Structures are given as structure tokens and as C-alpha cells.
Amino acid sequence: MRDEYIKEQLIIDKTEEEKKKQLFEDIIRTKEELKNANTNFEYADPELVDFFAYKIKAGQAKLSSLIKEAKEKGLVLDMINEIDIRENLENNEAV
């Protein structure tokens, strides 16, 4: 049997609702990381252009994978839920 880990925590122990929330949080964080990488790429020093190009490509691949997983599970992240999740993430990070 294969154990599945995310951030050193067993996801098998999570409820379906917790897994869904975690997936949505991962999608939102990845979108933010991709947005930041794109902004940094635009203003990067010539020595860092390749680095940010790599980060953009990696972020796109990660986001595609997460979206594919959500679609396979029949999950939809609408704008209202995304706003709520973003607020919760910001509140948790501020603490």
C-alpha cells in the first residue's frame, strides 16, 4: 500500500472536505506563485531571466496538474469560494 503525503502529513487521514479544501488552497497558492513569477520575469536582471522562465514553466505544469485533479474529482472553484479561501489563507498567514 502506498502512503500519500503532503507536507509530511498523511492525506489519507483527511476527510474528503479537507482534501477538497487543500486542493483549492494549492490551486490558489500556485496561481499566486505563477503571477509573482511572471511579474518578476518582466523586471528581472538579465542573469535571472532563465530562473524566472523556469519558475513560470514549473508553475504552469503544477497548476495544470492541480486543475486536472480537481476536474477528475468533479470539483469547481468559483469566484465566491476562491475569495473566501483567499481570505482564510491571508488570515492564517497573518497569525
Side-chain angles (χ1 to χ4, degrees), residues 2 7 9-10 31 36 42 50 52 57 61 89 92:
R2 190 183 103 197
K7 297 181 184 176
Q9 180 181 6
L10 274 172
K31 286 170 62 175
N36 291 337
E42 291 176 19
D50 289 340
F52 288 115
K57 186 69 174 170
L89 287 173
N92 291 338

Side-chain angles (χ1 to χ4, degrees), residues 7-8 18 23 30 35 45 56 59 68 74 78 80 89:
K7 297 181 184 176
E8 299 176 0
E18 290 172 328
L23 180 58
T30 303
K35 184 175 111 178
D45 290 331
I56 290 168
K68 179 181 176 185
D78 58 29
I80 302 297
L89 287 173

Side-chain angles (χ1 to χ4, degrees), residues 23-24 27 65-76:
L23 180 58
F24 286 157
I27 289 171
S65 174
L66 292 169
I67 290 172
K68 179 181 176 185
E69 182 180 345
K71 284 182 180 181
E72 287 173 353
K73 293 181 179 184
L75 302 176
V76 178

Side-chain angles (χ1 to χ4, degrees), residues 38-55:
N38 276 302
T39 300
N40 288 331
F41 177 81
E42 291 176 19
Y43 298 103
D45 290 331
E47 299 90 29
L48 295 174
V49 169
D50 289 340
F51 171 75
F52 288 115
Y54 168 78
K55 285 194 71 134

